[in-house]
Amino acid sequence: MAALLFTFLFGVANFALHKAVLESGHPLLARMPFVTMIGPRASLAAEFLVLLGAMLLVGSGNPAWAWAYLGYTMFNAVAAWLILTRRV
C-alpha cells in the first residue's frame, strides 16, 4: 500500500515538472515532434498513461515497479532542471 502511495506522489511530481517545462517557452519544445504534432495536452495524457501503468503494476503486487517509477521521476527531474535553467 505504501508503494502505491509513493508511486502516486511521484506521479504528482512528474505532472508538476511536465507542466513547468511546457509553460517555460523553451525553444527546444518547438523542435520536439511529439509536442508539436499532438499538442501539450496530449503529452500530459501520455504522462498520465505512464502513471496509470505504474500504479496498476504496483497495485498488482509488484513493488519493484515503484522503484522503476522513482528512477523515471528522477530522470524527469534532471531533464526538467536542465531545461528550466536553460542549460540545454
Side-chain angles (χ1 to χ4, degrees):
M1 190 63 155
L4 194 59
L5 176 66
F6 283 118
T7 303
F8 175 75
L9 293 175
F10 298 150
V12 170
N14 278 324
F15 273 99
L17 291 168
H18 194 122
K19 187 155 175 65
V21 168
L22 288 175
E23 291 178 351
S24 72
H26 195 283
L28 182 64
L29 294 174
R31 298 173 55 194
M32 297 186 72
F34 183 72
V35 175
T36 56
M37 278 193 289
I38 62 173
R41 293 187 100 167
S43 68
L44 287 170
E47 187 73 53
F48 172 76
L49 290 175
V50 172
L51 172 61
L52 179 63
M55 289 186 71
L56 286 172
L57 289 166
V58 171
S60 70
N62 193 348
W65 284 102
W67 289 105
Y69 196 70
L70 172 62
Y72 172 74
T73 303
M74 292 173 64
F75 177 79
N76 280 345
V78 170
W81 176 73
L82 289 171
I83 291 170
L84 294 173
T85 59
R86 306 279 178 164
R87 297 185 193 279
V88 175

Coordinates of all heavy atoms in Angstrom, one line a residue:
M1 N 0.8 -1.2 0.0 CA 0.0 0.0 0.0 C 0.9 1.3 0.0 O 0.5 2.2 -0.7 CB -0.9 0.0 1.2 CG -2.0 1.0 1.2 SD -3.0 0.8 -0.2 CE -4.5 1.6 0.3
A2 N 2.0 1.2 0.8 CA 2.9 2.4 0.8 C 3.5 2.6 -0.6 O 3.7 3.8 -1.0 CB 3.9 2.2 1.9
A3 N 3.8 1.5 -1.3 CA 4.5 1.7 -2.6 C 3.5 2.4 -3.5 O 3.9 3.2 -4.4 CB 4.9 0.3 -3.1
L4 N 2.2 2.0 -3.4 CA 1.2 2.7 -4.3 C 1.1 4.2 -4.0 O 1.0 5.0 -4.9 CB -0.1 2.0 -4.1 CG -1.2 2.2 -5.1 CD1 -0.7 1.8 -6.5 CD2 -2.5 1.4 -4.8
L5 N 1.1 4.5 -2.7 CA 1.0 5.9 -2.3 C 2.3 6.7 -2.9 O 2.1 7.8 -3.4 CB 0.9 6.1 -0.8 CG 1.0 7.5 -0.3 CD1 -0.3 8.3 -0.7 CD2 1.1 7.5 1.2
F6 N 3.4 6.1 -2.7 CA 4.7 6.8 -3.2 C 4.6 6.9 -4.7 O 5.1 7.9 -5.2 CB 5.9 6.1 -2.7 CG 6.3 6.3 -1.3 CD1 6.3 5.3 -0.4 CD2 6.5 7.6 -0.9 CE1 6.6 5.6 1.0 CE2 6.9 7.9 0.5 CZ 6.9 6.9 1.4
T7 N 4.1 5.9 -5.4 CA 4.0 6.0 -6.8 C 3.1 7.1 -7.2 O 3.4 7.9 -8.2 CB 3.5 4.7 -7.4 OG1 4.4 3.6 -7.0 CG2 3.5 4.7 -8.9
F8 N 2.0 7.3 -6.5 CA 1.1 8.4 -6.8 C 1.8 9.7 -6.6 O 1.6 10.6 -7.4 CB -0.2 8.3 -6.0 CG -1.1 9.4 -6.1 CD1 -1.9 9.6 -7.3 CD2 -1.2 10.4 -5.1 CE1 -2.7 10.7 -7.4 CE2 -2.0 11.5 -5.3 CZ -2.8 11.6 -6.4
L9 N 2.5 9.8 -5.5 CA 3.2 11.1 -5.2 C 4.3 11.4 -6.2 O 4.5 12.6 -6.6 CB 3.8 11.1 -3.8 CG 2.8 11.0 -2.6 CD1 3.4 10.8 -1.3 CD2 1.9 12.2 -2.7
F10 N 5.0 10.4 -6.7 CA 6.0 10.6 -7.8 C 5.2 11.1 -9.0 O 5.8 11.9 -9.8 CB 6.7 9.3 -8.1 CG 7.5 8.7 -6.9 CD1 7.7 7.4 -6.8 CD2 8.1 9.5 -6.0 CE1 8.5 6.8 -5.8 CE2 8.8 9.0 -4.9 CZ 9.0 7.7 -4.8
G11 N 4.0 10.5 -9.3 CA 3.3 11.0 -10.4 C 2.9 12.4 -10.3 O 2.9 13.2 -11.3
V12 N 2.5 12.9 -9.1 CA 2.2 14.3 -8.9 C 3.4 15.2 -9.3 O 3.3 16.2 -9.9 CB 1.7 14.6 -7.5 CG1 1.5 16.0 -7.2 CG2 0.3 13.9 -7.3
A13 N 4.6 14.7 -8.8 CA 5.8 15.4 -9.1 C 6.1 15.5 -10.6 O 6.5 16.5 -11.1 CB 7.0 14.8 -8.3
N14 N 5.8 14.4 -11.3 CA 6.1 14.3 -12.7 C 5.1 15.3 -13.5 O 5.6 15.9 -14.4 CB 5.9 12.9 -13.2 CG 7.1 12.0 -13.0 OD1 8.2 12.5 -13.2 ND2 6.9 10.8 -12.7
F15 N 3.9 15.3 -13.0 CA 3.0 16.3 -13.7 C 3.4 17.7 -13.4 O 3.3 18.5 -14.4 CB 1.5 16.1 -13.2 CG 0.8 15.0 -13.9 CD1 0.6 13.8 -13.4 CD2 0.2 15.3 -15.1 CE1 0.0 12.8 -14.1 CE2 -0.5 14.4 -15.8 CZ -0.6 13.1 -15.3
A16 N 3.8 18.0 -12.3 CA 4.3 19.4 -12.0 C 5.5 19.7 -12.8 O 5.6 20.8 -13.4 CB 4.6 19.5 -10.5
L17 N 6.5 18.8 -12.9 CA 7.6 19.1 -13.7 C 7.3 19.2 -15.2 O 7.8 20.1 -15.9 CB 8.6 17.9 -13.6 CG 9.3 17.8 -12.2 CD1 10.0 16.4 -12.1 CD2 10.3 18.9 -12.0
H18 N 6.4 18.4 -15.7 CA 6.0 18.4 -17.1 C 5.3 19.7 -17.4 O 5.6 20.3 -18.4 CB 5.0 17.2 -17.3 CG 4.8 16.9 -18.8 ND1 5.1 15.7 -19.3 CD2 4.3 17.7 -19.8 CE1 4.8 15.7 -20.6 NE2 4.3 16.9 -20.9
K19 N 4.4 20.1 -16.5 CA 3.7 21.4 -16.8 C 4.6 22.6 -16.7 O 4.5 23.5 -17.5 CB 2.6 21.6 -15.8 CG 1.7 22.7 -16.0 CD 0.3 22.6 -15.4 CE -0.5 23.8 -15.6 NZ -0.9 24.1 -16.9
A20 N 5.6 22.6 -15.8 CA 6.6 23.7 -15.7 C 7.4 23.7 -17.0 O 7.7 24.8 -17.5 CB 7.5 23.5 -14.5
V21 N 7.8 22.6 -17.5 CA 8.6 22.6 -18.8 C 7.7 23.1 -19.9 O 8.2 23.9 -20.8 CB 9.1 21.2 -19.0 CG1 9.7 21.1 -20.5 CG2 10.2 20.9 -18.0
L22 N 6.5 22.7 -20.0 CA 5.6 23.1 -21.1 C 5.4 24.6 -21.1 O 5.3 25.3 -22.1 CB 4.3 22.4 -21.1 CG 4.3 20.9 -21.5 CD1 2.9 20.3 -21.3 CD2 4.7 20.7 -22.9
E23 N 5.3 25.2 -19.9 CA 5.0 26.6 -19.7 C 6.3 27.5 -19.8 O 6.2 28.7 -19.8 CB 4.3 26.9 -18.4 CG 2.9 26.3 -18.4 CD 2.2 26.5 -17.0 OE1 2.8 26.9 -16.1 OE2 1.0 26.3 -17.0
S24 N 7.4 26.8 -19.9 CA 8.7 27.6 -19.8 C 8.9 28.3 -21.1 O 9.7 29.3 -21.2 CB 9.8 26.6 -19.6 OG 10.1 25.8 -20.7
G25 N 8.3 27.9 -22.2 CA 8.6 28.6 -23.5 C 9.9 28.3 -24.1 O 10.4 29.1 -24.9
H26 N 10.6 27.3 -23.6 CA 11.9 26.9 -24.1 C 11.9 26.6 -25.6 O 11.0 25.9 -26.1 CB 12.5 25.7 -23.3 CG 13.9 25.5 -23.5 ND1 14.5 24.9 -24.6 CD2 14.9 25.8 -22.6 CE1 15.8 24.9 -24.4 NE2 16.1 25.4 -23.3
P27 N 12.8 27.1 -26.4 CA 12.8 26.9 -27.8 C 13.0 25.4 -28.2 O 12.6 25.0 -29.3 CB 14.0 27.6 -28.3 CG 14.8 28.2 -27.2 CD 13.9 28.0 -26.0
L28 N 13.5 24.6 -27.3 CA 13.6 23.1 -27.5 C 12.2 22.5 -27.7 O 12.1 21.5 -28.5 CB 14.3 22.5 -26.4 CG 14.6 21.0 -26.4 CD1 15.6 20.7 -27.6 CD2 15.2 20.5 -25.2
L29 N 11.2 23.0 -27.1 CA 9.9 22.4 -27.2 C 9.3 22.5 -28.6 O 8.6 21.7 -29.1 CB 8.9 23.1 -26.2 CG 9.2 22.9 -24.8 CD1 8.2 23.7 -23.9 CD2 9.0 21.4 -24.4
A30 N 9.7 23.6 -29.3 CA 9.2 23.8 -30.7 C 9.8 22.8 -31.7 O 9.3 22.6 -32.7 CB 9.5 25.2 -31.2
R31 N 10.9 22.2 -31.3 CA 11.7 21.3 -32.1 C 11.3 19.8 -31.8 O 11.8 18.9 -32.5 CB 13.2 21.5 -32.0 CG 13.6 22.9 -32.4 CD 15.0 23.2 -32.1 NE 15.9 22.2 -32.7 CZ 17.2 22.1 -32.3 NH1 17.7 23.0 -31.4 NH2 18.0 21.2 -32.9
M32 N 10.4 19.6 -30.8 CA 10.1 18.2 -30.4 C 8.8 17.8 -31.2 O 7.7 18.4 -31.0 CB 9.9 18.1 -28.9 CG 11.1 18.4 -28.2 SD 11.0 18.1 -26.4 CE 10.9 16.4 -26.4
P33 N 8.9 16.9 -32.1 CA 7.7 16.5 -32.9 C 6.5 16.0 -32.0 O 5.4 16.2 -32.4 CB 8.2 15.4 -33.8 CG 9.5 15.0 -33.3 CD 10.0 16.1 -32.4
F34 N 6.8 15.3 -30.9 CA 5.7 14.8 -30.1 C 4.9 15.9 -29.6 O 3.6 15.8 -29.6 CB 6.3 14.0 -28.9 CG 5.3 13.3 -28.1 CD1 4.6 12.2 -28.5 CD2 5.0 13.8 -26.8 CE1 3.6 11.6 -27.8 CE2 4.1 13.1 -26.0 CZ 3.4 12.1 -26.5
V35 N 5.5 17.0 -29.1 CA 4.7 18.1 -28.6 C 4.0 18.9 -29.7 O 2.9 19.3 -29.5 CB 5.6 19.0 -27.7 CG1 4.9 20.2 -27.2 CG2 6.2 18.2 -26.5
T36 N 4.7 19.1 -30.8 CA 4.1 20.0 -31.8 C 3.0 19.2 -32.6 O 2.1 19.9 -33.0 CB 5.2 20.4 -32.8 OG1 5.9 19.3 -33.3 CG2 6.2 21.4 -32.1
M37 N 3.2 17.9 -32.8 CA 2.1 17.2 -33.6 C 0.9 17.0 -32.8 O -0.2 17.2 -33.3 CB 2.7 15.8 -34.0 CG 3.6 15.9 -35.2 SD 3.9 14.3 -35.9 CE 4.9 13.5 -34.7
I38 N 1.0 16.6 -31.6 CA -0.2 16.2 -30.8 C -0.6 17.2 -29.8 O -1.7 17.2 -29.2 CB -0.1 14.8 -30.2 CG1 1.0 14.8 -29.2 CG2 0.0 13.7 -31.3 CD1 1.0 13.5 -28.4
G39 N 0.3 18.2 -29.5 CA -0.1 19.2 -28.6 C 0.3 18.9 -27.1 O 0.5 17.8 -26.8
P40 N 0.4 20.0 -26.3 CA 0.8 19.8 -24.9 C -0.2 19.0 -24.1 O 0.2 18.3 -23.2 CB 1.0 21.2 -24.4 CG 0.3 22.1 -25.4 CD 0.2 21.4 -26.7
R41 N -1.5 19.1 -24.4 CA -2.4 18.4 -23.6 C -2.3 16.9 -23.8 O -2.4 16.1 -22.9 CB -3.8 18.8 -23.9 CG -4.1 20.2 -23.5 CD -5.5 20.5 -23.7 NE -6.2 20.4 -22.4 CZ -7.4 20.8 -22.2 NH1 -8.1 21.4 -23.1 NH2 -7.9 20.7 -21.0
A42 N -2.0 16.5 -25.0 CA -1.8 15.1 -25.3 C -0.5 14.6 -24.6 O -0.4 13.4 -24.2 CB -1.7 14.8 -26.8
S43 N 0.5 15.4 -24.5 CA 1.7 15.0 -23.8 C 1.4 14.7 -22.3 O 2.0 13.8 -21.7 CB 2.9 15.9 -24.0 OG 2.6 17.2 -23.4
L44 N 0.5 15.6 -21.8 CA 0.1 15.3 -20.4 C -0.7 14.1 -20.3 O -0.6 13.3 -19.3 CB -0.7 16.5 -19.9 CG 0.2 17.8 -19.6 CD1 -0.7 19.0 -19.3 CD2 1.1 17.6 -18.4
A45 N -1.5 13.8 -21.3 CA -2.2 12.5 -21.3 C -1.3 11.3 -21.4 O -1.5 10.3 -20.7 CB -3.2 12.5 -22.5
A46 N -0.2 11.4 -22.1 CA 0.8 10.4 -22.2 C 1.4 10.2 -20.8 O 1.7 9.0 -20.4 CB 1.8 10.7 -23.2
E47 N 1.7 11.3 -20.1 CA 2.3 11.2 -18.8 C 1.3 10.5 -17.8 O 1.7 9.7 -17.0 CB 2.6 12.6 -18.3 CG 3.3 12.7 -17.0 CD 4.7 12.3 -17.1 OE1 5.4 12.9 -17.9 OE2 5.2 11.4 -16.3
F48 N 0.0 10.8 -18.0 CA -1.0 10.1 -17.2 C -1.0 8.6 -17.5 O -1.1 7.8 -16.5 CB -2.4 10.7 -17.4 CG -3.5 9.9 -16.8 CD1 -3.7 10.0 -15.4 CD2 -4.3 9.0 -17.5 CE1 -4.7 9.2 -14.8 CE2 -5.3 8.3 -16.9 CZ -5.5 8.4 -15.6
L49 N -0.9 8.2 -18.7 CA -0.8 6.8 -19.1 C 0.4 6.1 -18.4 O 0.2 4.9 -18.0 CB -0.9 6.6 -20.6 CG -2.2 6.9 -21.2 CD1 -2.1 6.8 -22.8 CD2 -3.3 6.1 -20.7
V50 N 1.5 6.7 -18.4 CA 2.7 6.1 -17.7 C 2.4 6.0 -16.2 O 2.7 4.9 -15.7 CB 3.9 7.0 -18.0 CG1 5.1 6.5 -17.2 CG2 4.3 7.0 -19.5
L51 N 1.8 7.0 -15.6 CA 1.5 6.9 -14.2 C 0.5 5.8 -14.0 O 0.6 5.0 -13.0 CB 0.9 8.2 -13.7 CG 0.4 8.2 -12.3 CD1 1.4 7.8 -11.2 CD2 -0.2 9.6 -11.9
L52 N -0.6 5.7 -14.8 CA -1.6 4.7 -14.6 C -1.0 3.3 -14.7 O -1.3 2.4 -13.9 CB -2.7 4.9 -15.7 CG -3.8 3.8 -15.7 CD1 -4.6 3.9 -14.3 CD2 -4.7 4.1 -16.8
G53 N -0.1 3.1 -15.7 CA 0.5 1.8 -15.9 C 1.4 1.4 -14.7 O 1.4 0.3 -14.2
A54 N 2.1 2.4 -14.2 CA 3.0 2.1 -13.0 C 2.1 1.8 -11.8 O 2.4 0.9 -11.0 CB 3.9 3.4 -12.7
M55 N 1.0 2.5 -11.6 CA 0.2 2.3 -10.4 C -0.5 0.9 -10.6 O -0.7 0.2 -9.6 CB -0.8 3.4 -10.3 CG -0.2 4.7 -9.8 SD -1.3 6.0 -9.4 CE -2.1 5.3 -7.9
L56 N -0.9 0.5 -11.8 CA -1.5 -0.8 -11.9 C -0.5 -1.9 -11.7 O -0.9 -2.9 -11.0 CB -2.1 -0.9 -13.4 CG -3.4 -0.1 -13.6 CD1 -3.7 -0.2 -15.1 CD2 -4.5 -0.6 -12.8
L57 N 0.7 -1.7 -12.1 CA 1.7 -2.7 -11.9 C 2.1 -2.8 -10.4 O 2.2 -3.9 -9.8 CB 3.0 -2.4 -12.7 CG 2.8 -2.7 -14.2 CD1 4.0 -2.0 -15.0 CD2 2.7 -4.1 -14.5
V58 N 2.2 -1.7 -9.7 CA 2.5 -1.7 -8.3 C 1.3 -2.3 -7.5 O 1.5 -3.1 -6.6 CB 2.8 -0.3 -7.8 CG1 2.9 -0.2 -6.3 CG2 4.1 0.2 -8.4
G59 N 0.1 -1.9 -7.9 CA -1.1 -2.4 -7.3 C -1.4 -3.9 -7.4 O -2.0 -4.5 -6.6
S60 N -0.8 -4.4 -8.5 CA -0.9 -5.9 -8.7 C 0.0 -6.7 -7.8 O 0.0 -7.9 -7.9 CB -0.7 -6.2 -10.2 OG 0.6 -6.1 -10.5
G61 N 0.8 -6.0 -7.0 CA 1.6 -6.7 -6.0 C 3.1 -6.8 -6.3 O 3.8 -7.6 -5.7
N62 N 3.6 -5.9 -7.2 CA 5.0 -5.9 -7.5 C 5.6 -4.6 -7.2 O 5.6 -3.7 -8.0 CB 5.2 -6.3 -9.0 CG 6.6 -6.6 -9.3 OD1 7.5 -6.3 -8.5 ND2 6.9 -7.1 -10.5
P63 N 6.0 -4.4 -6.0 CA 6.5 -3.0 -5.5 C 7.8 -2.6 -6.2 O 8.2 -1.4 -6.1 CB 6.7 -3.2 -4.0 CG 6.9 -4.6 -3.8 CD 6.1 -5.3 -4.9
A64 N 8.5 -3.5 -7.0 CA 9.7 -3.1 -7.7 C 9.4 -2.1 -8.7 O 10.2 -1.2 -9.1 CB 10.3 -4.3 -8.3
W65 N 8.1 -2.0 -9.2 CA 7.8 -1.0 -10.2 C 7.7 0.4 -9.6 O 7.9 1.4 -10.3 CB 6.4 -1.4 -10.9 CG 6.6 -2.5 -11.9 CD1 6.2 -3.8 -11.7 CD2 7.1 -2.4 -13.2 NE1 6.5 -4.5 -12.8 CE2 7.1 -3.6 -13.8 CE3 7.6 -1.3 -13.9 CZ2 7.5 -3.9 -15.0 CZ3 8.1 -1.6 -15.2 CH2 8.0 -2.8 -15.7
A66 N 7.5 0.5 -8.3 CA 7.6 1.8 -7.6 C 9.0 2.3 -7.7 O 9.3 3.5 -7.9 CB 7.2 1.7 -6.2
W67 N 10.0 1.4 -7.6 CA 11.4 1.8 -7.7 C 11.7 2.3 -9.1 O 12.4 3.3 -9.4 CB 12.4 0.7 -7.3 CG 12.3 0.5 -5.8 CD1 11.7 -0.5 -5.1 CD2 12.9 1.3 -4.8 NE1 11.9 -0.4 -3.8 CE2 12.6 0.8 -3.5 CE3 13.7 2.5 -4.8 CZ2 13.1 1.3 -2.4 CZ3 14.1 3.1 -3.6 CH2 13.8 2.5 -2.4
A68 N 11.2 1.5 -10.1 CA 11.4 1.9 -11.5 C 10.8 3.3 -11.8 O 11.4 4.1 -12.5 CB 10.8 0.8 -12.4
Y69 N 9.6 3.5 -11.2 CA 8.9 4.8 -11.5 C 9.7 5.9 -10.7 O 9.7 7.1 -11.2 CB 7.5 4.7 -11.0 CG 6.6 5.9 -11.6 CD1 6.3 5.9 -12.9 CD2 6.2 6.9 -10.7 CE1 5.6 7.0 -13.4 CE2 5.4 7.9 -11.2 CZ 5.1 8.0 -12.6 OH 4.4 9.0 -13.1
L70 N 10.3 5.6 -9.6 CA 11.1 6.6 -8.9 C 12.3 7.0 -9.8 O 12.7 8.2 -10.0 CB 11.6 6.1 -7.6 CG 12.7 6.9 -6.9 CD1 12.2 8.3 -6.5 CD2 13.2 6.2 -5.7
G71 N 12.9 6.0 -10.5 CA 14.0 6.3 -11.4 C 13.5 7.2 -12.6 O 14.2 8.1 -13.0
Y72 N 12.3 6.9 -13.1 CA 11.7 7.7 -14.2 C 11.5 9.1 -13.7 O 11.8 10.1 -14.4 CB 10.4 7.0 -14.6 CG 9.6 7.8 -15.5 CD1 9.9 7.9 -16.9 CD2 8.4 8.5 -15.1 CE1 9.1 8.7 -17.8 CE2 7.6 9.2 -16.0 CZ 8.0 9.3 -17.3 OH 7.2 10.0 -18.2
T73 N 11.1 9.3 -12.4 CA 10.8 10.6 -11.9 C 12.1 11.3 -11.7 O 12.2 12.5 -12.0 CB 10.1 10.5 -10.5 OG1 8.9 9.8 -10.7 CG2 9.8 11.8 -9.9
M74 N 13.2 10.7 -11.2 CA 14.5 11.3 -11.1 C 15.0 11.8 -12.4 O 15.6 12.9 -12.5 CB 15.4 10.4 -10.3 CG 15.0 10.2 -8.9 SD 16.0 8.9 -8.0 CE 17.6 9.7 -8.1
F75 N 14.9 10.9 -13.4 CA 15.3 11.3 -14.8 C 14.6 12.5 -15.3 O 15.2 13.4 -15.8 CB 15.1 10.1 -15.7 CG 15.5 10.4 -17.2 CD1 16.8 10.4 -17.6 CD2 14.5 10.7 -18.1 CE1 17.2 10.7 -18.9 CE2 14.8 11.0 -19.4 CZ 16.2 11.0 -19.8
N76 N 13.3 12.5 -15.1 CA 12.5 13.7 -15.4 C 12.9 14.9 -14.7 O 12.9 16.0 -15.2 CB 11.0 13.4 -15.2 CG 10.4 12.6 -16.3 OD1 10.9 12.5 -17.4 ND2 9.2 12.1 -16.0
A77 N 13.2 14.8 -13.4 CA 13.6 16.0 -12.6 C 14.9 16.6 -13.1 O 15.0 17.8 -13.2 CB 13.8 15.5 -11.1
V78 N 15.9 15.7 -13.5 CA 17.1 16.2 -14.0 C 16.9 16.9 -15.4 O 17.4 18.0 -15.6 CB 18.2 15.1 -14.1 CG1 19.4 15.5 -14.9 CG2 18.6 14.6 -12.8
A79 N 16.1 16.3 -16.2 CA 15.8 16.8 -17.5 C 15.1 18.2 -17.4 O 15.4 19.1 -18.1 CB 15.0 15.9 -18.4
A80 N 14.1 18.2 -16.5 CA 13.4 19.5 -16.3 C 14.3 20.6 -15.7 O 14.2 21.7 -16.2 CB 12.2 19.3 -15.3
W81 N 15.2 20.2 -14.8 CA 16.1 21.2 -14.3 C 17.0 21.7 -15.4 O 17.2 22.9 -15.5 CB 17.0 20.5 -13.2 CG 18.0 21.4 -12.6 CD1 17.9 22.5 -11.8 CD2 19.4 21.3 -12.9 NE1 19.1 23.0 -11.5 CE2 20.0 22.4 -12.2 CE3 20.2 20.5 -13.7 CZ2 21.4 22.6 -12.3 CZ3 21.5 20.7 -13.7 CH2 22.2 21.7 -13.0
L82 N 17.5 20.9 -16.3 CA 18.3 21.3 -17.4 C 17.6 22.3 -18.3 O 18.1 23.3 -18.8 CB 18.8 20.1 -18.2 CG 19.9 19.3 -17.5 CD1 20.2 18.0 -18.3 CD2 21.2 20.0 -17.3
I83 N 16.3 21.9 -18.6 CA 15.5 22.8 -19.5 C 15.1 24.1 -18.8 O 15.3 25.2 -19.4 CB 14.3 22.0 -20.0 CG1 14.7 20.9 -20.9 CG2 13.3 23.0 -20.6 CD1 13.6 19.9 -21.2
L84 N 14.7 24.0 -17.6 CA 14.2 25.3 -16.9 C 15.3 26.2 -16.6 O 15.1 27.4 -16.5 CB 13.4 24.9 -15.6 CG 12.1 24.1 -15.9 CD1 11.5 23.7 -14.6 CD2 11.2 25.0 -16.7
T85 N 16.5 25.7 -16.3 CA 17.7 26.6 -16.1 C 18.4 27.0 -17.3 O 19.5 27.6 -17.3 CB 18.6 26.0 -15.1 OG1 19.1 24.7 -15.6 CG2 18.0 25.7 -13.7
R86 N 17.9 26.6 -18.5 CA 18.4 26.9 -19.8 C 19.9 26.4 -20.0 O 20.7 27.0 -20.6 CB 18.4 28.4 -20.1 CG 17.0 29.1 -19.9 CD 16.2 28.8 -21.1 NE 14.9 29.4 -20.9 CZ 14.0 29.7 -21.9 NH1 14.4 29.4 -23.1 NH2 12.9 30.2 -21.6
R87 N 20.1 25.3 -19.4 CA 21.5 24.6 -19.6 C 21.5 23.8 -20.8 O 22.6 23.4 -21.3 CB 21.8 23.8 -18.4 CG 21.9 24.6 -17.1 CD 22.4 23.8 -15.9 NE 22.3 24.4 -14.7 CZ 23.1 25.3 -14.2 NH1 24.1 25.7 -14.8 NH2 22.8 25.8 -13.0
V88 N 20.3 23.6 -21.4 CA 20.2 22.8 -22.7 C 19.8 23.7 -23.7 O 18.9 24.6 -23.5 CB 19.2 21.6 -22.5 CG1 19.0 20.9 -23.8 CG2 19.7 20.7 -21.5

